[in-house]
Amino acid sequence: MSNLSDDLKTQALTYHRFPKPGKLEIAATKPLGTQHDLALAYSPGVAAACEAIAADPKEAAELTSRQNLVAVISNGSAVLGLGNIGPLASKPVMEGKAVLFKKFAGIDVFDIEIDAPDVARMVNVVSALEPTFGGINLEDIKAPECFDVEAQLKERMKIPVFHDDQHGTAIIVGAAVLNALYLTGKKIEAVKIVTSGAGAAALACLNLLVALGAKRENIFVSDIEGVVYRGRNTLMDRWKEVYAQDTKARKLGEIIEGADVFLGVSAGGVLKPDMVKRMAERPLIMALANPNPEIMPEEAIAVRPDAMICTGRSDYPNQVNNVLCFPYIFRGALDVGATTINEEMKRAAVEAIAALAREAPSDVAAMAYGGEARTFGTGSLIPNPFDPRLILRIAPAVAQAAIESGVATRPLSDFDAYRERLNRFVFRSGFIMKPVFTRAKQEPKRIIYAEGEDERVLRATQVIVEEGLATPILIGRPSVVETRLERYGLSIRPDRDFTLINPEDDPRYREYVHAYIEAAGRRGITPDAARTIVRTNATVIAALAVRLKLADAMICGLEGRYMAHLKNIRDVIGLAPGVREFAALSLVITKKGAYFLADTQVTPEPNADAIADMAALAAEHVRRFGLQPKIALLSHSDFGSFDSASAAKMRAALARLRESHPDLEVEGEMNGDTALSPMIRERVFPNSRLKGEANVLIMPNLDAANIAYQMTKVLADALAVGPILIGAAMPAHILTPSVTARGVINMTALAVVEAQGAKF
């Protein structure tokens, strides 16, 4: 039975029951809204796809979902810590595994629970499924049967077959061992490894460690019957026999002496503190039994402060969690049409995971730890399971290994392009932001950040420096910035990687005060007030730096109210020539596409002139993304269907745009669905100058724009970029307090590109 508390049981059952039972659903990827759609999806059109595959089976990868479809299969004989509960009771676990595949790597999954307790029946059932799937993930099958099941399936099937309980655990253990040895300077071929447990996971770990260079003669195994020695007959099998030692030792305590690595995949409490005392210098203790490890970390540290410890628990550092690797191994294998997952691919995954742990931590990974960064060291031998860079490191490494080892049926020719495609699983802004990032790197500009002490700005600066996006200038107190860089595990430093402006002691203080009085003196700013503000208001300091051409663009708004920041920008930087008012353009990236909404932040009731200005300025920004702006002026009126002041305003704005910017593809006034559906628009207004789907949606007022923006983010699970301030005389942008480090990076790239084209 599980050790769940009553409260957690209740929450878990509610989670699984509501709002609909289970954790998965099937969604169509093609439209089925018309009879013609149905004719293409099914009879008679589907015959074309069937005939193409019959003529060339490789076409299945292009015409069906097979190459992105994995089966998670179990007979329920060894479920988590629940044991042999049968296939039906294992279904929640298999659904959970399916969700992880989709969440972390975009892989579709059918979970299949098989009533097949014997090896032959399971092998026959699973092997018959090959036409349906691009890969097979075996799960929760008891040892030693699982070894035979996997071996026979790999022999019979020409698609990847992977028993995650064995190889997933082994890959992460391998990465942790490599990094522990990296820290201690020990050689894998010389270390003594002692294992408690001799099931599927333990033996797979040992097999992989041997493949990485460990010597069999240095490996000692114990299980419920004691030490695995030559001549033992009880609870032995041919897989375990490989690690039988010629020794008189019969208990774990007799083989632990001088061990460099302890691998526990057994039961809680079997490793005693006195055993830990007798291990080698700086030992690695991998106590992976759940929920109670072979020894609690605090017990081990109490007797051996020099020990490095990994567990299977999320409440301790160095969690060995299979989600670190299995989604990305399959991603790489599927993307090159691998016929198997071989030893070369597994070793590539080990090395990729180990290398990632040695990189500076990302902001998303730090958030998973409650905001505290874990830099590489004894407390961070392996990456956090939520580190978004895992797919970018593991999938390409596995794909490359598959190609080089000759098991890829669709080799990749351009790995740079492949990594760009994988970015969609890390930052959904990856594709649309690509042209902006490319242009930014070509001519980096000086970007000043008002909230330079903020964790998000500091994390963003690390990436900005590494990628060469911009030359960062941060406003902040040196002591605070230095302390936080250390706390977050960031390698960037002031003066070397970025310029730091100390608002309490800036040599340009007098110059800033004079410039502020010159800019805002007629707006009620007295000399005394100017002297105080220039020492205390970081947004004003940033705006003055841009005004004085000491920076090319500014970013603020991570703290405080939007309109307060805007007032400072208005006072110091002002409006661009010919522009009547500021506006905010917000980008939302949905599964369906990218859409720009305006004005989401500034003017409650813009008039027709402001609407026209807003649309024209928005078009300039949209082109920076490499997109052709298609502008819809939205209203509750659909081409004159309703006469109101709001509709009249949008009609007047269209007339002004047609006169001032005849090249723009713009239409209105129209409903939201008319803007987004060419079919509806053709029916309502066949002569529309707007072709295809609109990507710039100009709202009649602030309420409409902001409500649409906020609802789209939630209902469409959209990623927001911005808001982008348009209309300023010099590049200046005000973010919102909810922005992430990735949002700061995105806006930095946009500010750089804007500054590249700025004329001031």
Side-chain angles (χ1 to χ4, degrees), residues 13-25 91-92 95-96 99:
L13 292 174
T14 300
Y15 174 87
H16 283 79
R17 283 196 177 105
F18 302 105
K20 59 191 296 186
K23 299 188 283 282
L24 297 172
E25 67 178 4
K91 188 171 180 63
E95 283 190 355
V99 170

Side-chain angles (χ1 to χ4, degrees), residues 580-650:
R580 284 168 273 236
E581 184 54 275
F582 292 102
L585 181 68
S586 294
L587 167 61
V588 287
I589 303 167
T590 72
K591 292 179 181 178
K592 188 177 178 182
Y595 304 94
F596 296 83
L597 284 65
D599 166 22
T600 57
Q601 299 288 341
V602 181
T603 306
E605 289 290 342
N607 59 28
D609 288 331
I611 293 285
D613 288 346
M614 184 191 309
L617 290 169
E620 291 182 22
H621 279 278
V622 171
R623 291 191 185 99
R624 294 190 177 108
F625 289 85
L627 300 176
Q628 177 62 34
K630 294 176 176 288
I631 305 170
L633 305 182
L634 299 187
S635 170
H636 68 301
S637 171
D638 217 14
F639 297 104
S641 67
F642 200 96
D643 199 10
S644 67
S646 173
K649 175 174 68 175
M650 301 309 274

Side-chain angles (χ1 to χ4, degrees), residues 447-486:
I447 308 299
I448 188 167
Y449 303 86
E451 293 90 359
E453 297 175 1
D454 190 282
E455 176 184 356
R456 293 161 293 178
V457 170
L458 294 172
R459 291 191 181 282
T461 301
Q462 176 84 41
V463 176
I464 290 161
V465 169
E466 290 176 352
E467 297 189 5
L469 283 175
T471 302
I473 304 170
L474 276 58
I475 299 172
R477 294 161 293 177
S479 60
V480 174
V481 170
E482 290 281 4
T483 298
R484 292 181 178 179
L485 289 174
E486 291 290 342

Side-chain angles (χ1 to χ4, degrees), residues 172 176 179 183 284-288 307-321 324 357 369 374-385:
I172 303 162
N179 276 342
L183 287 173
L284 172 63
I285 299 171
M286 308 196 74
L288 307 184
M308 295 170 282
I309 304 174
C310 301
T311 70
R313 293 172 49 144
S314 60
D315 54 345
Y316 287 98
N318 291 323
Q319 183 193 13
V320 175
N321 187 330
L324 273 165
Y369 281 123
R374 293 185 181 273
T375 56
F376 176 63
T378 58
S380 187
L381 296 173
I382 46 182
N384 183 274

Side-chain angles (χ1 to χ4, degrees), residues 196-522:
S196 174
L203 294 176
C205 290
L206 295 179
N207 291 340
L208 186 55
L209 290 174
V210 168
L212 292 170
K215 301 298 184 184
R216 291 184 190 273
E217 57 264 31
N218 295 335
I219 297 173
F220 294 79
V221 177
S222 66
D223 61 11
I224 196 170
E225 286 293 320
V227 173
V228 175
Y229 60 90
R230 288 180 186 170
R232 191 181 110 173
N233 297 315
T234 308
L235 285 182
M236 292 295 288
D237 53 56
R238 67 180 187 275
W239 300 279
K240 198 183 297 185
E241 186 69 41
V242 172
Y243 294 100
Q245 289 277 22
D246 187 7
T247 178
K248 293 181 180 180
R250 295 296 182 264
K251 296 180 180 179
L252 175 61
E254 297 171 9
I255 58 174
I256 197 68
E257 188 78 35
D260 297 282
V261 177
F262 169 81
L263 173 62
V265 197
S266 53
V270 302
L271 184 66
K272 306 302 181 183
D274 67 291
M275 298 181 190
V276 175
K277 285 182 182 179
R278 293 186 282 120
M279 294 181 70
E281 182 183 358
R282 299 192 73 186
L284 172 63
I285 299 171
M286 308 196 74
L288 307 184
N290 256 328
N292 300 313
E294 284 77 4
I295 187 169
M296 295 300 291
E298 51 268 26
E299 290 183 285
I301 292 296
V303 296
R304 289 299 299 270
D306 63 335
M308 295 170 282
I309 304 174
C310 301
T311 70
R313 293 172 49 144
S314 60
D315 54 345
Y316 287 98
N318 291 323
Q319 183 193 13
V320 175
N321 187 330
N322 288 11
V323 79
L324 273 165
C325 68
F326 72 79
Y328 317 119
I329 289 172
F330 270 97
R331 181 75 277 158
L334 293 174
D335 289 341
V336 295
T339 57
T340 187
I341 293 175
N342 57 25
E343 293 304 311
E344 292 87 348
M345 295 159 74
K346 287 186 278 186
R347 283 201 299 272
V350 170
E351 291 164 1
I353 293 170
L356 177 57
R358 296 194 289 269
E359 294 184 27
S362 73
D363 63 306
V364 179
M367 286 171 61
Y369 281 123
E372 289 295 324
R374 293 185 181 273
T375 56
F376 176 63
T378 58
S380 187
L381 296 173
I382 46 182
N384 183 274
F386 292 96
D387 194 317
R389 299 168 296 178
L390 284 162
I391 192 170
L392 298 177
R393 305 297 188 271
I394 299 173
V398 169
Q400 185 70 54
I403 295 168
E404 292 176 355
S405 61
V407 298
T409 60
R410 298 192 315 278
L412 296 169
S413 58
D414 187 343
F415 266 84
D416 287 338
Y418 178 53
R419 290 185 182 91
E420 288 178 19
R421 294 203 305 272
L422 290 175
N423 259 303
R424 70 184 184 273
F425 301 120
V426 184
F427 309 116
R428 284 175 290 174
S429 58
F431 284 153
I432 191 167
M433 290 299 297
K434 179 60 181 174
V436 178
F437 276 83
T438 300
R439 284 182 58 189
K441 291 177 183 179
Q442 291 171 354
E443 188 187 348
K445 294 291 184 179
R446 300 165 299 170
I447 308 299
I448 188 167
Y449 303 86
E451 293 90 359
E453 297 175 1
D454 190 282
E455 176 184 356
R456 293 161 293 178
V457 170
L458 294 172
R459 291 191 181 282
T461 301
Q462 176 84 41
V463 176
I464 290 161
V465 169
E466 290 176 352
E467 297 189 5
L469 283 175
T471 302
I473 304 170
L474 276 58
I475 299 172
R477 294 161 293 177
S479 60
V480 174
V481 170
E482 290 281 4
T483 298
R484 292 181 178 179
L485 289 174
E486 291 290 342
R487 182 192 306 165
Y488 305 141
L490 302 174
S491 61
I492 53 172
R493 290 295 178 268
D495 300 326
R496 184 188 71 192
D497 301 302
F498 62 89
T499 299
L500 183 61
I501 294 177
N502 181 2
E504 297 175 346
D505 184 20
D506 189 344
R508 289 164 297 197
Y509 172 70
R510 293 181 182 277
E511 182 183 4
Y512 279 14
V513 169
H514 178 75
Y516 190 38
I517 294 171
E518 183 181 77
R522 293 182 180 275

Side-chain angles (χ1 to χ4, degrees), residues 597 599-601 699 701-711:
L597 284 65
D599 166 22
T600 57
Q601 299 288 341
M699 309 288 176
N701 57 40
L702 178 64
D703 284 346
N706 194 266
I707 290 169
Y709 170 57
Q710 301 294 350
M711 290 183 68

Side-chain angles (χ1 to χ4, degrees), residues 120-137:
R121 178 172 170 80
M122 189 159 196
V123 169
N124 286 334
V125 171
V126 177
S127 61
L129 298 172
E130 182 168 352
T132 302
F133 297 101
I136 302 293
N137 184 96

